[in-house]
Amino acid sequence: MTIDTLNQHHAIADVLTFHTGMDDQPIAKIHNATATAEICLYGGHVLSYKPHHETEDVIFVSDLATCADGKAIRGGIPICWPWFGADPDGLGRPNHGFVRNRLWQVIATAAIDSGTTKLTLGLSDTDDTRNLWPHPFELAIAITVGKALTVELITRNTGLTPFKLTQALHTYFTVGDIDRVRVRGLEGKYYLDKVEGDTRKFQSGAIAITSEVDRIYLDVPAVLTIDDPALDRQIHTTSSGNSTAVVWNPWIEKAAAMGDLGNTDYKTMICVETTNAASDVIEVAPGETFCLSASYRVNRL
Ligand code: BG6
């Protein structure tokens, strides 16, 4: 669909319009009474969410991000599906699955009220996806922009046999100063430390980032909090459909080695991801749906 056709069918006057964005991909821009947001149809990828009372975007996107040549966008909310992390079968398929670098379709747009706007995007199986993963599916992402940003990732099994999933809403948050950031809510939980070969460890206090962090937390609560004193704010994440969460910051060497992340970007971002990862594997029966969701709300300190 062209940008004109998208606007003819799905724009909401003064609230939601479609434009050409990063690397000529279509993006939806939302501006309502409470917040602004941008969503790229490539990857079904949220790029920006900013309540009007905030000066800094809640969502971090690298200045070096690109979606040219089938790349996944560095930053925003990448959707990892139908597997999280490395190819579970070791067949050389892409890290984090194959939907974060595909063009999604607009299913619906809705003005819930003057300060709440919803955009639903969809993706379903093709010959190409069945070559990578042999299952028929319908995937939808419903993005609600209001006082909170809510993202619901809904998987429907349209085939005749069950399938298994791991997945993530791999959200990159903007922070003011990583040295002062604390992630709360995971105290007393065990995690798999990916930096040390998946060693199981115990989290005794709030999480501080002082080196590379790449951890799958187990048995997580619904609400996590990112304390960001440098921006005078807290971000609360509320999730459902998951029992794991990932905390990731590449730190100095990894950031420098990544072509699409600036050398100092590790100071102003943190990923707190709502996941079904490790042993948190979801089975979806034929005709059934499964919803993984996360909601993000900012508090001024
Ligand atoms: C995190 C993983 O979720 O994503 C890390 O736990 C990984 O191991 C990171 O490095 C980024 O992955 P990618 O494929 O976007 O570079």
Side-chain angles (χ1 to χ4, degrees), residues 202-238:
F202 183 75
Q203 181 68 44
S204 56
I207 302 168
I209 314 289
T210 55
S211 60
E212 181 189 355
V213 168
D214 191 356
R215 302 174 180 171
I216 303 177
Y217 282 86
L218 309 172
D219 187 28
V220 300
V223 179
L224 305 178
T225 300
I226 301 166
D227 282 353
D228 184 4
L231 292 183
D232 291 320
R233 71 186 185 188
Q234 282 181 320
I235 301 170
H236 299 289
T237 76
T238 306

Side-chain angles (χ1 to χ4, degrees), residues 157-178:
N157 181 346
T158 53
L160 300 173
T161 53
F163 58 64
K164 288 187 175 162
L165 290 179
T166 55
Q167 57 182 342
L169 300 166
H170 187 314
T171 308
Y172 288 69
F173 293 102
T174 306
V175 292
D177 176 3
I178 195 70

Side-chain angles (χ1 to χ4, degrees), residues 72-74 78 80 84-85 95-96 100 168 170 172 194 212-216 246-248 250 254 258 260 271 273 275:
I73 298 169
R74 178 66 60 200
C80 307
F84 171 81
N95 204 31
H96 289 327
R100 61 180 181 157
H170 187 314
Y172 288 69
K194 293 179 78 177
E212 181 189 355
V213 168
D214 191 356
R215 302 174 180 171
I216 303 177
V246 167
V247 179
W248 180 62
K254 281 245 165 97
M258 292 166 81
D260 56 1
C271 290
E273 308 168 32
T275 59

Side-chain angles (χ1 to χ4, degrees), residues 51-156:
H52 296 321
H53 56 74
E54 291 300 309
T55 50
E56 294 289 332
D57 210 304
V58 174
I59 303 294
F60 168 90
V61 177
S62 166
D63 287 342
L64 303 176
T66 174
C67 49
D69 305 325
K71 270 191 75 92
I73 298 169
R74 178 66 60 200
I77 310 185
I79 297 169
C80 307
W81 189 98
W83 57 84
F84 171 81
D87 178 353
D89 299 329
L91 300 174
R93 296 172 298 176
N95 204 31
H96 289 327
F98 54 79
V99 303
R100 61 180 181 157
N101 57 359
R102 266 162 220 278
L103 193 61
W104 293 52
Q105 304 301 313
V106 178
I107 307 281
T109 55
I112 311 285
D113 58 42
S114 65
T116 316
T117 312
K118 188 170 180 178
L119 169 67
T120 307
L121 305 177
L123 188 73
S124 47
D125 57 296
T126 60
D127 288 345
D128 185 37
T129 68
R130 286 188 297 271
N131 278 334
L132 287 164
W133 191 68
H135 302 285
F137 66 86
E138 278 173 9
L139 191 57
I141 181 145
I143 299 153
T144 306
V145 177
K147 287 184 182 142
L149 170 69
T150 301
V151 180
E152 297 160 282
L153 180 62
I154 303 149
T155 302
R156 172 180 284 277

